[in-house]
């Protein structure tokens, strides 16, 4: 509906707006941590104790978590974020409501939006979430669709900024409350062109970083036309190099990223996909042969399969994957605060 601040992809935000969300996430994380940490000296914090509390922007509000695909990190992040902001998360799985069975997306959006104050939707085809947003009277945030995964890339970028000291050329923050600035990085993505990569394509170049992508040559492993059109529209294509050899992709990389080769719903394609992605497993050997920077770091959105990255990298000192997973909570919390709590339309202008 007109005037409702929906978020489908980070392509909807400018680079300063993306930075604003990440800074908000860092603030909420810093303020919330004392309240969820073990009690000091056996005494738990209580309201009015003088310790700053997270702003209760979701007080008396209920957020619908509309999930047609199962999840660990996204569901946990959304439910705990709601609680910290004073609201309630209402999980609605495929077995819980009539959506897709006896009721259209249009009708469901209107009914849910009439009782809840925000919809966080994890769907299959991207058209499904577009339909929800078209008819919802309250903000809709994309928790994952076939094209986009904006909350994941926000968490990834917050993680990189928190670890900026690991990259040569990083600058100190202007104040104790600010995140350090990242130097221009070369980010290599090795794997399938799926929703995680798609939001990387429209985000990293606008934040000053170069992307090097390796995927098999078959057309189904390249960005679909609607995604690439957004990439070109934003001018991001000028800082993206797309190759078929993963060693070429990781050359000069500061950060190496991969994701699942077999997304939910693609299980029947598993034998062919494993064959097509032979040689794409992220390993120390691959990155050494490709000429990645000596101190390169590793990201993966999880859940991880060993075909995609070996144990040495995944559980080794290069890996930031669990900090990345933790940060799903804080970046989702920032979006809930700004869009569901405050209806901050300026964020999307």
């Amino acid at each position: 509906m007109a005037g409702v601040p929906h978020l489908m992809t980070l392509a909807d935000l400018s680079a300063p707006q993306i930075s604003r969300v990440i800074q908000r996430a860092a603030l909420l994380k810093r303020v919330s941590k004392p309240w969820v940490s073990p009690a000091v000296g056996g005494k738990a914090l209580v309201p009015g104790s003088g310790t700053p509390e997270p702003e209760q922007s979701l007080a008396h509000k209920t957020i619908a978590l509309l999930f047609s695909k199962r999840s660990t990190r996204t569901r946990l992040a959304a439910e705990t974020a709601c609680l910290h902001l004073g609201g309630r998360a209402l999980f609605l799985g495929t077995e819980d409501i009539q959506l897709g069975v006896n009721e259209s997306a249009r009708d469901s959006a209107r009914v849910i939006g009439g009782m809840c104050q925000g919809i966080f939707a994890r769907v299959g085809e991207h058209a499904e979430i577009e339909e929800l947003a078209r008819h919802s009277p309250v903000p809709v945030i994309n928790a994952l669709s076939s094209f986009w995964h904006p909350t994941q890339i926000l968490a990834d970028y917050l993680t990189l900024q928190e670890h900026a000291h690991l990259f040569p050329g990083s600058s100190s923050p202007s104040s104790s409350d600010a995140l350090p600035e990242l130097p221009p990085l070369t980010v290599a993505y090795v794997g399938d062109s799926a929703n995680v990569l798609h939001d990387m394509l429209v985000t990293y170049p606008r934040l000053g970083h170069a992307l090097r992508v390796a995927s098999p040559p078959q057309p189904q492993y390249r960005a679909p036309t609607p995604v690439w059109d957004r990439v070109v529209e934003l001018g991001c294509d000028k800082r993206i190099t797309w190759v078929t050899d993963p060693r070429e992709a990781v050359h000069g990389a500061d950060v190496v990223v991969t994701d699942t080769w077999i997304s939910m719903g693609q299980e029947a394609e598993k034998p062919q996909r494993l064959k097509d992605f032979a040689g794409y497993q992220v390993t120390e050997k691959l990155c050494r042969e490709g000429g990645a920077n000596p101190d390169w770091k590793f990201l993966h959105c999880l859940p991880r399969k060993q075909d995609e990255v070996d144990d040495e990298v995944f559980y080794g000192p290069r890996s930031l994957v669990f900090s990345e997973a933790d940060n799903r909570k804080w970046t989702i919390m920032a979006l809930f605060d700004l869009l569901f709590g405050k209806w901050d339309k300026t964020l999307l202008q």
Side-chain angles (χ1 to χ4, degrees):
M1 291 187 176
V4 181
H6 307 302
L7 180 65
M8 300 291 103
T9 163
L10 296 183
D12 295 340
L13 303 182
S14 67
Q17 288 170 331
I18 293 169
S19 296
R20 179 184 170 204
V21 174
I22 293 168
Q23 292 287 346
R24 184 65 179 167
L27 171 65
L28 290 168
K29 180 177 183 179
R30 186 168 60 253
V31 171
S32 300
K33 279 286 190 177
W35 291 89
V36 296
S37 297
V40 178
K43 293 183 178 180
L45 290 174
V46 294
S49 63
T51 302
E53 299 176 61
E55 184 180 354
Q56 300 294 281
S57 58
L58 295 187
H60 307 295
K61 294 181 171 66
T62 302
I63 306 306
L65 309 185
L66 189 59
F67 282 35
S68 61
K69 285 193 171 186
R70 63 185 180 272
S71 166
T72 300
R73 281 145 298 281
T74 306
R75 180 175 178 179
L76 281 168
E79 292 197 5
T80 55
C82 257
L83 179 64
H84 284 319
L85 293 170
R88 180 185 176 188
L90 185 62
F91 183 80
L92 303 173
T94 53
E95 302 300 318
D96 299 317
I97 58 174
Q98 295 284 358
L99 176 61
V101 181
N102 293 315
E103 193 160 20
S104 67
R106 177 175 183 170
D107 293 355
S108 295
R110 175 57 185 85
V111 170
I112 295 169
M115 302 185 195
C116 298
Q117 288 67 56
I119 298 174
F120 191 49
R122 184 176 171 93
V123 301
E125 293 303 312
H126 187 66
E128 297 174 45
I129 198 162
E130 288 184 322
E131 181 74 1
L132 287 170
R134 192 173 296 119
H135 300 290
S136 173
V138 299
V140 175
I141 296 175
N142 183 5
L144 175 143
S145 70
S146 58
F147 282 172
W148 307 106
H149 200 349
T151 64
Q152 180 63 54
I153 304 313
L154 289 171
D156 290 6
Y157 204 81
L158 173 60
T159 304
L160 291 177
Q161 282 200 264
E162 289 178 335
H163 292 84
H165 61 281
L166 301 177
F167 303 104
S170 64
S171 61
S172 300
S174 56
S175 72
S176 59
D177 293 337
L179 287 167
E181 290 295 325
L182 283 167
L185 300 176
T186 297
V187 180
Y189 179 93
V190 177
D192 191 13
S193 181
N195 45 35
V196 166
L197 173 63
H198 298 163
D199 259 302
M200 291 175 65
L201 294 173
V202 296
T203 302
Y204 281 86
R206 292 190 291 147
L207 296 176
H209 310 293
L211 264 177
R212 299 178 63 84
V213 183
S215 64
Q218 293 90 334
Q220 66 266 32
Y221 301 127
R222 299 299 176 99
T225 299
V227 169
W228 193 250
D229 285 348
R230 296 297 299 273
V231 171
V232 173
E233 175 190 330
L234 294 169
C236 293
D237 55 311
K238 299 174 182 63
R239 304 202 69 178
I240 297 169
T241 302
W242 211 302
V243 298
T244 58
D245 184 349
R247 288 166 181 78
E248 186 177 350
V250 301
H251 183 73
D254 301 292
V255 181
V256 179
V257 187
T258 191
D259 188 13
T260 183
W261 301 340
I262 304 156
S263 297
M264 284 180 276
Q266 296 176 334
E267 289 79 7
E269 304 173 30
K270 181 176 180 177
Q272 185 61 51
R273 282 178 167 264
L274 290 178
K275 180 180 177 181
D276 292 343
F277 283 98
Y280 277 70
Q281 184 191 46
V282 176
T283 63
E284 289 284 351
K285 182 174 183 288
L286 182 145
C287 292
R288 184 171 59 252
E289 291 177 351
N293 284 342
D295 295 324
W296 62 273
K297 302 304 174 189
F298 177 73
L299 294 175
H300 190 302
C301 69
L302 306 180
R304 162 259 188 172
K305 303 177 188 68
Q306 197 164 20
D307 295 314
E308 302 148 8
V309 54
D310 69 1
D311 283 355
E312 182 182 14
V313 172
F314 186 79
Y315 292 112
R318 299 188 185 280
S319 179
L320 302 176
V321 297
F322 293 107
S323 294
E324 176 187 7
D326 294 344
N327 279 333
R328 293 298 308 284
K329 172 175 182 170
W330 309 113
T331 48
I332 285 172
M333 189 173 172
L335 288 176
F336 282 13
D337 174 51
L338 292 168
L339 297 183
F340 294 156
K342 298 183 172 71
W343 270 51
D344 189 349
K345 298 178 184 179
T346 63
L347 190 64
L348 299 177
Q349 291 176 350

